[in-house]
Amino acid sequence: MSSSLFQIHDPRFQQMIIPSAALEELYSGCRWAEGPVWFADHGLLIFSDIPNQRMLRYVPGQGVSVFREPSNFVNGNTRDREGRLVSCEHGGRRVIRTEYDGSITVLADRFEGRRLNSPNDVVVKSDGTVWFTDPTYGIRSNYEGFQAEPEQACRNVFRLDPATGTLTSVVDDFGQPNGLAFSPDETRLYVADSAVSHDPSAEPIIRVFDVVDGLRLANGRIFCRLDAGLPDGFRLDTAGNLWTSAGDGVHCLAPDGTLLGKILVPQTVANLTFGGPRRNRLFITATRSLYAIYVDVQGV
């Protein structure tokens, strides 16, 4: 079943959406909107506009204002377990943390003595470790960073222990690792491979790995292949369903990889996050705009 907004591929999706809900365009004027993160304690959303070198703040009922400019081409954002903003900088080729007083702490900018490529997306595990992807998008041109030759031999997925500063590569065989998120119980890590953006022979896939002892990944396998566009950023709901960006909107997949349904969005979606007081409002960054829609699930 389909409508102008929803495509139902599995009856379970009917119970996860609100048929009367509207897709609201909250803001337009970005060049490439990315990295949304919800601050429940402040009731606001922070997101990135990478080529415009700025981070924006959306407050329901008040609209959008500039949070940080210039942003050094910040892409993905998240919060750590102490509520601090953790961001991936294309320009600085580093992962940073914004302290309570607004000062910046560099968490990682080198691996084995060489500069990172361009950290893209980031999540923080319950033990405080920071996991992030390091593709080359920010150094491919001067549009979303500063053009440069890669110093890393691989496009890694990293695990950082902020307490010790130890940075470990947990996966090194991606074409272009992109969005990542843990399952609700943190026993699995999902990672997007968006290499098809510049390599037509690559597959638009999300891979999933078992998390072993909270330290390493094992048993990597393909979780899903997208049928429209490529996977960029995604988040999970409390039941373990994965909601991912795609070329035609947002795709919702069951824990076994079954496509349950789609929310159709008029612009190419880059990323999304759950927010609002009940974590049931899906905020979507899509090319030039920030969208939102209420759903009948709660984000992790």
Side-chain angles (χ1 to χ4, degrees):
M1 188 180 88
S2 65
S3 68
S4 59
L5 182 56
F6 301 108
Q7 284 186 2
I8 311 297
H9 291 255
D10 184 290
R12 289 173 287 179
F13 191 59
Q14 191 72 52
Q15 309 306 313
M16 302 165 69
I17 59 173
I18 300 170
S20 62
L23 180 67
E24 305 168 77
E25 187 177 34
L26 304 175
Y27 177 77
S28 184
C30 297
R31 284 203 173 103
W32 183 247
E34 254 282 12
V37 56
W38 177 255
F39 281 70
D41 43 351
H42 295 288
L44 59 84
L45 184 87
I46 300 292
F47 63 105
S48 302
D49 181 5
I50 307 174
N52 274 328
Q53 274 263 46
R54 60 182 183 169
M55 299 171 71
L56 301 172
R57 175 199 298 111
Y58 168 72
V59 181
Q62 299 182 32
V64 171
S65 59
V66 174
F67 172 73
R68 180 181 297 162
E69 188 177 26
S71 66
N72 213 12
F73 297 102
V74 160
N75 187 340
N77 300 284
T78 192
R79 298 182 80 185
D80 68 9
R81 296 294 163 154
E82 297 175 46
R84 296 169 295 189
L85 176 66
V86 178
S87 305
C88 292
E89 275 189 4
H90 280 188
R93 297 167 68 172
R94 60 188 188 172
V95 179
I96 61 170
R97 183 176 66 215
T98 302
E99 306 297 345
Y100 299 128
D101 63 1
S103 62
I104 301 296
T105 297
V106 178
L107 299 180
D109 62 356
R110 291 179 179 270
F111 178 63
E112 297 181 339
R114 297 183 295 274
R115 296 188 72 186
L116 299 176
N117 293 320
S118 55
N120 186 287
D121 207 352
V122 57
V123 290
V124 177
K125 197 169 173 289
S126 60
D127 60 5
T129 54
V130 179
W131 302 61
F132 66 94
T133 55
D134 190 37
T136 58
Y137 290 119
I139 58 174
R140 290 185 62 91
S141 72
N142 291 310
Y143 188 62
E144 293 188 11
F146 301 106
Q147 188 170 9
E149 290 298 317
E151 296 181 26
Q152 297 294 325
C154 305
R155 283 83 164 127
N156 295 283
V157 180
F158 286 110
R159 175 189 182 273
L160 170 70
D161 184 347
T164 63
T166 302
L167 184 63
T168 306
S169 173
V170 290
V171 188
D172 64 3
D173 64 347
F174 273 82
Q176 292 281 24
N178 205 314
L180 73 172
F182 286 101
S183 60
D185 61 5
E186 297 186 333
T187 61
R188 295 179 302 282
L189 179 70
Y190 299 86
V191 185
D193 194 332
S194 58
V196 69
S197 62
H198 293 85
D199 179 4
S201 67
E203 289 190 286
I205 59 173
I206 296 174
R207 295 166 64 184
V208 61
F209 301 82
D210 297 327
V211 181
V212 181
D213 300 326
L215 299 171
R216 59 188 180 87
L217 302 180
N219 192 29
R221 64 266 189 203
I222 294 176
F223 171 69
C224 71
R225 293 177 175 84
L226 294 195
D227 63 9
L230 55 84
D232 194 328
F234 51 82
R235 289 292 180 261
L236 282 84
D237 64 31
T238 54
N241 303 296
L242 187 148
W243 301 69
T244 182
S245 62
D248 55 355
V250 174
H251 294 192
C252 178
L253 301 116
D256 65 0
T258 300
L259 176 62
L260 300 178
K262 301 180 181 183
I263 301 172
L264 302 178
V265 179
Q267 300 182 60
T268 300
V269 176
N271 214 326
L272 53 89
T273 196
F274 290 94
R278 298 174 182 83
R279 302 194 313 278
N280 65 339
R281 196 179 191 192
L282 193 63
F283 291 96
I284 303 165
T285 50
T287 314
R288 297 179 299 279
S289 300
L290 172 68
Y291 293 92
I293 186 170
Y294 284 97
V295 291
D296 206 8
V297 300
Q298 287 186 305
V300 174

